[in-house]
Amino acid sequence: MKSIGVFTSGGDAPGMNACIRSVVRTGLYLGLDVYGIKYGYNGMIDGDIYKMKSYSVSNIVQRGGTILKSARSKDFMTKEGRAKAYEQLKKRGIEGLVAIGGDGTFTGANIFYEEYGIPIVGAPGTIDNDLYGSDYTIGFDTAVNTALDAIDKIRDTANSHDRVFFIEVMGRHSGYIAIQSGIGGGAELVMVPETSTTIGDVIQTLKEGRDNQKTSSIVVVAEGGEQGDALEVAAKVAKELPDLDIRVSTLGHIQRGGSPTSYDRILSSRLGMAAVEGLVNGEKNVMVGVVNDKIAYTSFKLAISKAKPINPELMRLVDILSI
Amino acid sequence: MKSIGVFTSGGDAPGMNACIRSVVRTGLYLGLDVYGIKYGYNGMIDGDIYKMKSYSVSNIVQRGGTILKSARSKDFMTKEGRAKAYEQLKKRGIEGLVAIGGDGTFTGANIFYEEYGIPIVGAPGTIDNDLYGSDYTIGFDTAVNTALDAIDKIRDTANSHDRVFFIEVMGRHSGYIAIQSGIGGGAELVMVPETSTTIGDVIQTLKEGRDNQKTSSIVVVAEGGEQGDALEVAAKVAKELPDLDIRVSTLGHIQRGGSPTSYDRILSSRLGMAAVEGLVNGEKNVMVGVVNDKIAYTSFKLAISKAKPINPELMRLVDILSI
Amino acid sequence: MKSIGVFTSGGDAPGMNACIRSVVRTGLYLGLDVYGIKYGYNGMIDGDIYKMKSYSVSNIVQRGGTILKSARSKDFMTKEGRAKAYEQLKKRGIEGLVAIGGDGTFTGANIFYEEYGIPIVGAPGTIDNDLYGSDYTIGFDTAVNTALDAIDKIRDTANSHDRVFFIEVMGRHSGYIAIQSGIGGGAELVMVPETSTTIGDVIQTLKEGRDNQKTSSIVVVAEGGEQGDALEVAAKVAKELPDLDIRVSTLGHIQRGGSPTSYDRILSSRLGMAAVEGLVNGEKNVMVGVVNDKIAYTSFKLAISKAKPINPELMRLVDILSI
Amino acid sequence: MKSIGVFTSGGDAPGMNACIRSVVRTGLYLGLDVYGIKYGYNGMIDGDIYKMKSYSVSNIVQRGGTILKSARSKDFMTKEGRAKAYEQLKKRGIEGLVAIGGDGTFTGANIFYEEYGIPIVGAPGTIDNDLYGSDYTIGFDTAVNTALDAIDKIRDTANSHDRVFFIEVMGRHSGYIAIQSGIGGGAELVMVPETSTTIGDVIQTLKEGRDNQKTSSIVVVAEGGEQGDALEVAAKVAKELPDLDIRVSTLGHIQRGGSPTSYDRILSSRLGMAAVEGLVNGEKNVMVGVVNDKIAYTSFKLAISKAKPINPELMRLVDILSI
């Protein structure tokens, strides 16, 4: 292998730049040419590709977002699109790819590999931490800390006014951000897609808190819960407990950005290095991850299809700590 | 004067604790007894009042919220409520009050003074910076920095995905937070209640940006604008410019909390000291503020009624910097 | 077991409060009485002990330091001191202890257990991450992020002035903070006690950087290296490379404080819960840790004596990423 | 005037990039060509000069340091150096300059103007806030907040261990950073060059604190005080009060870097705009500043020679708040 390409795809995540940097420098260190492909699969199709040097990735380890830009590509979902993409790679002699992204990215990569046999190693870049095959994904630790910082701020107001706050965090199919920011933020209750929490449960928790002289409470709600979003949950609760001073805050897009934490920079750097080393060593059609703090490769298929359950110990912690 | 009381009222603001600390310690320094009144006017009516010592305010200068809690009081809007409140003060020999809050707080204080003649000095505690008689209010600088930090994070995503973001910040009747966070955040446009911005203006700005090769844009929207909130503005723009990838983020309650900035801690400390010194020197029925970095006292009436216009130089800055 | 005590000892670490909170609430949840012992072993000897309630630990999860205060105790190193301490516990019916601290704390706990047979479970509270039996210790993640934030700031100046900065971080016997903040901060070189780095190595790295058109460089130095502290290393390098504009920054005590990160709050909460559950289940004379994200108990002896090597993959990362 | 140049010189300060951005965009807005001069006067002499576009300053408003790099120039202190510099400007048709820096920068600018008559407007870029003619300088607010954040962290440890900390902040000839971070950080005492504080004063304050049941104390020391640096002051105090557990922390270079605060971004943007508008309107040989929140121009001579005293109200605040 003499030439590889790297791109980011899907929602951006803090640490993607650190990962790009690691891919580029590991590639150069191993004597490879490294090409940056902009705007994910779209740039691959359009040939928006340039050769990267060591200085191309200077001073980006601390930056959120992705210098290669990201996009979701409709064209790549067509046979024609993928054919064009392959031509662009072939023309430049690119023999392997590092794809930084989430399940959509890897679904595309899987098809592309099957059609054209080009080796692809994926790095899990998504704040949702919803990929099997890596204990943590790039951006997750930063997103949790951002959510936590917001909860800390909101608790100032909750305490000052004796209010109940429903705080919605990201994680449509995964409660990881919710459970971790909930524990860290001292939430009374956390509602995640993985477990069933009824409105009755919420009401009981809030009543118990009141009985225990709690004057304010925080409920963290993962965005995709079965009881609806935070606004809907709050409205249902308010009907039953009209005396409470209830407010809602939806944290939204701030959770995607910002300078990555130490953990995310190191994870991203490790995964970038391991992705390139994997390619060189013959890995293909796999996602690289960290399992029990060791590098592991998992097939794309497994990575995107197998569920990653939340540690039940964490669910128990919320219960105990909120007494 | 031998005894004074201090309370916080209305929406909490970062720096209120630093102000309470300053009131208490200045009072003690001058040989006064200082009483903390909890939950604003409600606690005054209910007698939720305690004597404060120097250590009562230890280690709070850096904390958001208010250790005296805050509330909006319906009872104080009645003659009976105010009569009860006065009795509670009289009973304890409290001869003067420091009221930390916003226009609602001062409206109540004004009536209370007129009815009972008890000297009250207000300190402007509100993130909105909408009080005449002080260049800045307690909590404003922190709120702007919180909004700015959020905008910085969102710009990471905007840049990575070539998106247009409409970001809603607080400030129902005042565009101060919007204009400052907009300039600091490098926004292409800022919509504030003080000036009229049409949807046509927004569209033109975005089009010009596109013509100038801008791939992403940020529009900061103050919550109470005439074009509606950020969601409504975004919807109207999306109809006219369907090609743009438009997103909305409403920052919400995070803007009220958090550890106060240096500026807010010092401002709060200065105003707390000046409030007590003012009371001792015979000030009554006034808000203490900082005008051109000097302490100034302004009648409650003026403070809550007179408009504080935004520096037109700042509006011009947004225009120039977004080219 | 009906009653337990909890204390913090040795250098404070962010997350100790979250751990105390978890110990208290888990204890109460399990129906135990929980006593807080102030100032570590000193307070145990002096009887500075009080019963804790759920509200005793409200609103502390986000705070650095320790509400139970900490100290190093000379008296506890004597037989008489420990006898007094035991009497104080006996008098109150305290039948088990949770000790939050580092190797000094556990050395004392080990002796105390051997002499009096009182069950003690330790929780690893030290920013240095130098205890065997837990992949991470309470406060480490926060300390690394604090160091990283400082390195990010210093790099602004290094870049602006084309300087070489030697930055000293904590870790007298352990290079964990150095290696992690070094990778995260994009350092050109990291000097840790675990490996031998000569001044010649430093000089070569800086020369290579210069040859590769690097205009500024950062060298992270763990405080207890064999080449001396950062000032000494810098002086030796300056002699050999007089053309370089070299500066030194010693981060110092800021690394111990601050609001704990999400990771530290969750780790602390988990360890606090597991410490109490361990005590109830008959554990004694052990440290509770997290190994491969699972709770594990390790004898005090092993925890304080066995070396925890740095992942060699991380040392390799520094090399590769600095090209 | 058709062409202007902009450069940064002296120590870097957060907000310099925001100021460069404002200079460039205001210049373009007014139809001027704008040249960036790298490495301050050195780049002017060497012709390290390039034409800047609007996108040259995209996405830098939030970054510390200076994209134009900075340096102190020995060559510019010679007649020959300045002659070369003038030639470089003339060759490119640069008819006016914006110099962002501190007193050294303006001293050079003053001579350059007197020799060659080229109009120069300076913008005060220094964290020390030691220039007459502007209430605040670019970078000061950020530096104070950085120092304050460090003090907050250190106080966690001071409180946990009942220690006295001497914390040294920047400001060789000016106590602004010390006094503001000291008030904001709740310091018991602040030692600044502007006033005389004896070791006896320090000892008395610490004794009084002890008498008032204070268990920990913080003394903020400006680096250039007459009693020596923080280490020296601490050593002298330790001799007299051997029972105290005294520690020293020197904050150092972290105070120069980091993302600028809202205040610094806005101040920088305003000053950049006003500098260019000043040049166009015929200003020359002056520093632009903000006085009572209004733009003001002050001759270089006055700006660098006239003292800017610290508001005595602030000194009084420290006294009162530390009781």
Side-chain angles (χ1 to χ4, degrees):
Chain A
M1 194 164 292
K2 290 196 177 147
S3 269
I4 61 172
V6 57
F7 63 97
T8 50
S9 168
D12 64 322
M16 281 185 161
N17 280 328
C19 191
I20 295 167
R21 172 175 175 266
S22 180
V23 168
V24 170
R25 294 201 169 164
T26 304
L28 297 176
Y29 186 87
L30 297 176
L32 305 173
D33 283 344
V34 184
Y35 288 89
I37 302 165
K38 297 189 78 171
Y39 294 101
Y41 292 116
N42 280 343
M44 204 184 291
I45 294 170
D46 299 343
D48 196 351
I49 299 172
Y50 67 112
K51 212 182 236 187
M52 298 183 86
K53 303 287 178 194
S54 180
Y55 61 75
S56 311
V57 291
S58 284
N59 210 14
I60 65 166
V61 70
Q62 78 278 24
R63 295 210 189 126
T66 158
I67 60 164
L68 290 178
K69 306 256 184 174
S70 186
R72 297 178 207 273
S73 174
K74 280 184 191 164
D75 290 347
F76 197 75
M77 294 166 81
T78 66
K79 255 195 162 348
E80 297 72 35
R82 293 192 295 275
K84 277 190 206 162
Y86 182 68
E87 280 312 303
Q88 296 284 6
L89 299 179
K90 209 175 138 189
K91 203 161 67 182
R92 288 168 181 83
I94 297 173
E95 299 164 285
L97 290 173
V98 176
I100 307 168
D103 48 12
T105 308
F106 299 159
T107 303
N110 194 33
I111 298 171
F112 199 46
Y113 170 76
E114 288 180 354
E115 287 178 355
Y116 294 98
I118 186 163
I120 311 179
V121 175
T126 160
I127 62 167
D128 287 341
N129 199 29
D130 58 353
L131 291 164
Y132 180 83
S134 193
D135 291 344
Y136 295 102
T137 56
I138 294 168
F140 169 67
D141 188 60
T142 306
V144 171
N145 276 289
T146 298
L148 189 54
D149 184 55
I151 294 173
D152 282 352
K153 286 188 167 68
I154 290 171
R155 195 180 31 226
D156 285 342
T157 295
N159 282 341
S160 298
H161 289 276
D162 291 355
R163 283 181 185 154
V164 174
F165 265 93
F166 289 84
I167 303 176
E168 183 175 308
V169 300
M170 283 190 168
R172 197 162 295 278
H173 312 294
S174 162
Y176 269 96
I177 294 178
I179 192 78
Q180 295 227 358
S181 64
I183 291 173
E188 270 65 28
L189 191 70
V190 178
M191 301 175 74
V192 295
E194 285 86 350
T195 65
S196 179
T197 312
T198 65
I199 297 298
D201 296 337
V202 182
I203 288 167
Q204 204 194 322
T205 299
L206 294 177
K207 275 186 176 164
E208 280 172 18
R210 209 165 45 177
D211 295 348
N212 288 334
Q213 268 73 48
K214 292 215 178 201
T215 53
S216 65
S217 292
I218 284 172
V219 179
V220 174
V221 184
E223 59 180 334
E226 56 179 16
Q227 300 296 342
D229 63 20
L231 268 171
E232 292 169 299
V233 173
K236 291 176 194 169
V237 171
K239 233 190 238 167
E240 305 292 322
L241 298 173
D243 288 356
L244 292 182
D245 186 3
I246 292 178
R247 303 295 159 108
V248 176
S249 184
T250 301
L251 300 187
H253 288 90
I254 56 168
Q255 296 166 83
R256 290 206 172 282
S259 184
T261 59
S262 167
Y263 186 88
D264 270 332
R265 296 192 202 181
I266 292 167
L267 176 69
S268 303
S269 299
R270 290 178 70 188
L271 294 178
M273 177 172 81
V276 176
E277 292 184 337
L279 274 180
V280 167
N281 294 332
E283 295 286 351
K284 52 190 72 162
N285 211 23
V286 293
M287 185 191 85
V288 63
V290 165
V291 177
N292 286 341
D293 211 36
K294 285 195 182 58
I295 293 297
Y297 299 89
T298 304
S299 75
F300 281 139
K301 242 184 188 155
L302 218 56
I304 60 187
S305 64
K306 204 163 165 180
K308 183 163 72 172
I310 287 183
N311 186 343
E313 186 192 332
L314 297 185
M315 298 303 297
R316 201 151 55 87
L317 254 183
V318 177
D319 264 10
I320 292 179
L321 295 182
S322 63
I323 70 167
Chain B
M1 194 166 291
K2 288 193 178 150
S3 270
I4 61 171
V6 57
F7 64 97
T8 50
S9 168
D12 65 320
M16 281 185 161
N17 279 328
C19 191
I20 294 168
R21 173 176 175 263
S22 180
V23 168
V24 170
R25 296 201 167 162
T26 305
L28 297 176
Y29 186 87
L30 297 176
L32 305 173
D33 284 343
V34 184
Y35 288 89
I37 301 165
K38 296 188 78 170
Y39 294 102
Y41 292 117
N42 281 343
M44 205 185 292
I45 293 170
D46 299 343
D48 197 350
I49 299 173
Y50 69 111
K51 215 183 232 188
M52 298 184 84
K53 303 286 178 196
S54 180
Y55 62 74
S56 312
V57 291
S58 283
N59 210 15
I60 64 167
V61 70
Q62 80 278 23
R63 294 208 191 126
T66 159
I67 60 164
L68 291 177
K69 306 257 185 173
S70 186
R72 295 179 209 272
S73 175
K74 280 184 192 165
D75 290 347
F76 197 75
M77 292 166 81
T78 67
K79 254 195 161 354
E80 297 71 34
R82 293 191 295 272
K84 277 190 206 162
Y86 182 68
E87 279 313 303
Q88 296 283 9
L89 299 180
K90 210 175 137 187
K91 203 160 69 184
R92 288 167 181 84
I94 297 173
E95 300 165 285
L97 291 172
V98 176
I100 308 168
D103 48 11
T105 308
F106 298 159
T107 303
N110 193 33
I111 298 171
F112 199 45
Y113 170 76
E114 286 180 355
E115 286 179 355
Y116 294 98
I118 187 164
I120 311 178
V121 174
T126 162
I127 62 166
D128 288 341
N129 199 29
D130 58 354
L131 291 163
Y132 180 83
S134 193
D135 290 345
Y136 295 102
T137 56
I138 294 168
F140 170 68
D141 188 60
T142 306
V144 170
N145 277 288
T146 298
L148 189 54
D149 184 55
I151 295 173
D152 282 352
K153 287 187 166 70
I154 290 171
R155 194 179 33 226
D156 285 343
T157 295
N159 282 342
S160 298
H161 289 275
D162 292 356
R163 282 180 185 155
V164 174
F165 265 94
F166 289 84
I167 303 176
E168 184 176 308
V169 300
M170 283 190 167
R172 198 163 294 279
H173 310 295
S174 162
Y176 269 95
I177 295 178
I179 192 80
Q180 296 226 357
S181 64
I183 292 174
E188 269 65 28
L189 189 70
V190 178
M191 299 174 74
V192 294
E194 284 87 348
T195 64
S196 179
T197 313
T198 66
I199 297 298
D201 296 336
V202 182
I203 289 167
Q204 203 195 324
T205 299
L206 295 176
K207 276 185 175 164
E208 280 173 15
R210 208 164 48 179
D211 294 348
N212 288 335
Q213 267 75 45
K214 292 215 179 201
T215 53
S216 65
S217 293
I218 284 173
V219 178
V220 174
V221 184
E223 61 180 333
E226 57 179 14
Q227 300 296 340
D229 62 21
L231 269 170
E232 293 168 299
V233 172
K236 291 176 194 169
V237 170
K239 232 188 239 166
E240 306 292 321
L241 298 173
D243 288 355
L244 291 182
D245 187 1
I246 292 178
R247 303 294 159 109
V248 176
S249 185
T250 302
L251 300 187
H253 288 90
I254 56 169
Q255 297 165 82
R256 290 206 172 283
S259 183
T261 58
S262 167
Y263 186 87
D264 270 332
R265 297 192 200 181
I266 292 167
L267 176 69
S268 301
S269 300
R270 291 178 70 187
L271 294 179
M273 177 171 81
V276 176
E277 291 184 337
L279 274 181
V280 167
N281 293 331
E283 295 286 350
K284 52 190 74 164
N285 212 24
V286 293
M287 186 191 86
V288 62
V290 164
V291 177
N292 285 342
D293 211 36
K294 285 197 183 56
I295 293 297
Y297 300 90
T298 304
S299 75
F300 281 138
K301 241 183 190 157
L302 217 57
I304 60 188
S305 64
K306 203 163 167 182
K308 183 162 71 172
I310 289 183
N311 185 343
E313 186 192 331
L314 297 184
M315 298 303 297
R316 201 151 55 89
L317 254 182
V318 177
D319 264 11
I320 292 178
L321 296 181
S322 63
I323 68 167
Chain C
M1 193 163 292
K2 288 196 178 149
S3 270
I4 60 171
V6 57
F7 63 98
T8 49
S9 169
D12 65 321
M16 281 185 162
N17 280 328
C19 191
I20 294 168
R21 172 175 175 265
S22 181
V23 168
V24 170
R25 295 202 167 162
T26 304
L28 298 176
Y29 186 88
L30 297 176
L32 305 173
D33 283 344
V34 185
Y35 289 89
I37 301 165
K38 297 189 77 172
Y39 294 102
Y41 292 117
N42 281 344
M44 205 184 292
I45 293 170
D46 299 343
D48 196 352
I49 299 173
Y50 68 109
K51 213 182 235 186
M52 298 183 85
K53 303 287 177 192
S54 180
Y55 62 75
S56 312
V57 291
S58 284
N59 211 15
I60 65 166
V61 71
Q62 78 279 22
R63 294 208 190 128
T66 159
I67 61 164
L68 291 178
K69 305 256 184 174
S70 186
R72 296 176 208 273
S73 174
K74 281 185 191 164
D75 290 347
F76 198 75
M77 293 166 81
T78 68
K79 255 195 162 348
E80 297 71 34
R82 291 192 295 274
K84 276 190 208 163
Y86 183 66
E87 279 314 303
Q88 296 283 8
L89 300 179
K90 210 175 137 189
K91 203 161 66 181
R92 287 169 181 82
I94 297 173
E95 299 164 286
L97 290 172
V98 176
I100 308 168
D103 48 11
T105 308
F106 298 160
T107 303
N110 193 33
I111 298 171
F112 198 46
Y113 170 76
E114 288 181 354
E115 286 179 355
Y116 294 97
I118 185 163
I120 312 179
V121 175
T126 161
I127 62 166
D128 287 341
N129 199 29
D130 57 355
L131 291 163
Y132 180 82
S134 193
D135 291 345
Y136 295 102
T137 56
I138 295 169
F140 169 67
D141 188 60
T142 306
V144 171
N145 277 288
T146 298
L148 188 55
D149 184 54
I151 295 173
D152 282 352
K153 286 187 166 70
I154 290 171
R155 194 180 32 227
D156 285 343
T157 295
N159 281 342
S160 298
H161 289 274
D162 291 357
R163 285 182 184 154
V164 174
F165 264 93
F166 289 83
I167 302 177
E168 183 175 309
V169 300
M170 283 189 167
R172 197 162 296 278
H173 310 295
S174 162
Y176 269 95
I177 295 178
I179 192 78
Q180 295 227 358
S181 64
I183 292 173
E188 269 65 27
L189 190 70
V190 179
M191 300 175 74
V192 295
E194 286 85 350
T195 65
S196 179
T197 313
T198 65
I199 297 297
D201 296 337
V202 182
I203 288 167
Q204 203 193 324
T205 300
L206 294 177
K207 275 184 175 165
E208 280 171 18
R210 208 164 47 177
D211 294 348
N212 288 334
Q213 268 75 47
K214 291 215 177 200
T215 54
S216 65
S217 292
I218 283 172
V219 179
V220 174
V221 185
E223 59 181 333
E226 57 178 17
Q227 301 296 341
D229 63 19
L231 268 171
E232 292 168 299
V233 173
K236 291 177 193 167
V237 171
K239 233 190 238 167
E240 305 292 320
L241 297 172
D243 288 355
L244 291 183
D245 186 2
I246 292 178
R247 302 295 159 106
V248 177
S249 184
T250 301
L251 300 187
H253 288 91
I254 56 168
Q255 295 166 84
R256 290 206 173 281
S259 183
T261 58
S262 168
Y263 187 87
D264 271 331
R265 297 192 201 180
I266 292 167
L267 176 70
S268 303
S269 300
R270 290 178 70 188
L271 294 179
M273 177 172 81
V276 176
E277 291 183 339
L279 274 180
V280 167
N281 294 332
E283 296 285 353
K284 52 190 73 163
N285 211 23
V286 293
M287 184 191 84
V288 62
V290 164
V291 177
N292 286 341
D293 211 36
K294 284 196 183 55
I295 294 296
Y297 299 90
T298 304
S299 75
F300 280 139
K301 242 185 188 153
L302 217 58
I304 60 187
S305 64
K306 203 162 165 181
K308 183 162 73 173
I310 288 184
N311 186 343
E313 185 192 332
L314 297 185
M315 298 303 297
R316 199 151 56 88
L317 255 182
V318 177
D319 264 11
I320 292 178
L321 295 182
S322 62
I323 69 169
Chain D
M1 194 167 291
K2 287 194 178 150
S3 271
I4 60 171
V6 56
F7 63 97
T8 50
S9 167
D12 65 321
M16 281 185 161
N17 278 329
C19 191
I20 294 168
R21 173 176 174 263
S22 181
V23 168
V24 171
R25 294 201 169 163
T26 305
L28 297 176
Y29 186 88
L30 296 176
L32 304 172
D33 283 344
V34 184
Y35 288 89
I37 302 165
K38 297 188 79 172
Y39 294 102
Y41 292 117
N42 281 343
M44 204 184 293
I45 293 170
D46 300 342
D48 196 350
I49 299 172
Y50 69 111
K51 213 183 233 187
M52 298 184 84
K53 303 286 179 195
S54 180
Y55 62 74
S56 311
V57 291
S58 283
N59 211 15
I60 64 166
V61 70
Q62 78 278 23
R63 295 208 190 126
T66 159
I67 60 165
L68 290 178
K69 306 255 186 175
S70 186
R72 297 181 208 270
S73 175
K74 280 185 193 164
D75 289 348
F76 197 74
M77 292 165 82
T78 66
K79 255 195 158 357
E80 296 72 33
R82 293 192 294 274
K84 277 189 206 161
Y86 182 67
E87 279 313 304
Q88 297 282 8
L89 300 179
K90 209 174 138 188
K91 202 159 68 183
R92 286 166 182 84
I94 297 173
E95 300 164 285
L97 291 172
V98 176
I100 307 169
D103 48 12
T105 309
F106 298 159
T107 303
N110 193 32
I111 298 171
F112 199 46
Y113 170 75
E114 287 180 354
E115 286 179 355
Y116 294 97
I118 186 164
I120 311 179
V121 175
T126 162
I127 63 168
D128 288 339
N129 198 28
D130 58 354
L131 291 163
Y132 181 82
S134 193
D135 291 343
Y136 296 101
T137 56
I138 293 168
F140 169 68
D141 188 58
T142 305
V144 171
N145 277 289
T146 298
L148 189 55
D149 184 55
I151 295 174
D152 282 352
K153 286 187 166 69
I154 290 171
R155 194 179 33 225
D156 285 343
T157 294
N159 282 342
S160 297
H161 289 275
D162 291 356
R163 284 181 186 153
V164 174
F165 265 94
F166 288 84
I167 302 177
E168 183 175 308
V169 299
M170 284 189 166
R172 198 163 294 279
H173 311 294
S174 162
Y176 268 95
I177 295 179
I179 192 78
Q180 295 227 357
S181 64
I183 292 174
E188 270 65 28
L189 190 69
V190 178
M191 299 174 76
V192 295
E194 285 86 348
T195 65
S196 179
T197 312
T198 65
I199 297 299
D201 295 337
V202 182
I203 288 166
Q204 203 194 324
T205 299
L206 294 177
K207 277 185 174 165
E208 280 172 17
R210 208 164 47 177
D211 295 348
N212 288 334
Q213 268 75 46
K214 291 215 178 201
T215 54
S216 65
S217 293
I218 284 173
V219 179
V220 174
V221 184
E223 60 180 333
E226 57 179 17
Q227 300 296 340
D229 64 21
L231 269 171
E232 293 169 298
V233 172
K236 291 177 195 169
V237 171
K239 234 190 237 167
E240 305 291 322
L241 299 173
D243 288 355
L244 291 182
D245 187 3
I246 292 178
R247 303 294 159 109
V248 176
S249 185
T250 301
L251 300 187
H253 288 90
I254 55 169
Q255 296 165 82
R256 290 205 171 283
S259 183
T261 58
S262 167
Y263 186 87
D264 270 332
R265 297 192 201 180
I266 293 168
L267 176 69
S268 302
S269 300
R270 290 177 71 188
L271 294 179
M273 177 171 82
V276 176
E277 292 184 337
L279 274 181
V280 167
N281 294 330
E283 295 287 350
K284 52 190 75 164
N285 211 24
V286 293
M287 184 190 87
V288 62
V290 165
V291 177
N292 287 341
D293 211 36
K294 285 196 183 58
I295 293 297
Y297 299 89
T298 303
S299 75
F300 281 139
K301 243 185 189 154
L302 216 57
I304 60 188
S305 64
K306 203 162 165 180
K308 183 163 71 173
I310 288 183
N311 185 344
E313 187 192 331
L314 297 183
M315 297 304 296
R316 200 150 57 87
L317 254 183
V318 177
D319 264 11
I320 292 179
L321 295 181
S322 63
I323 68 165

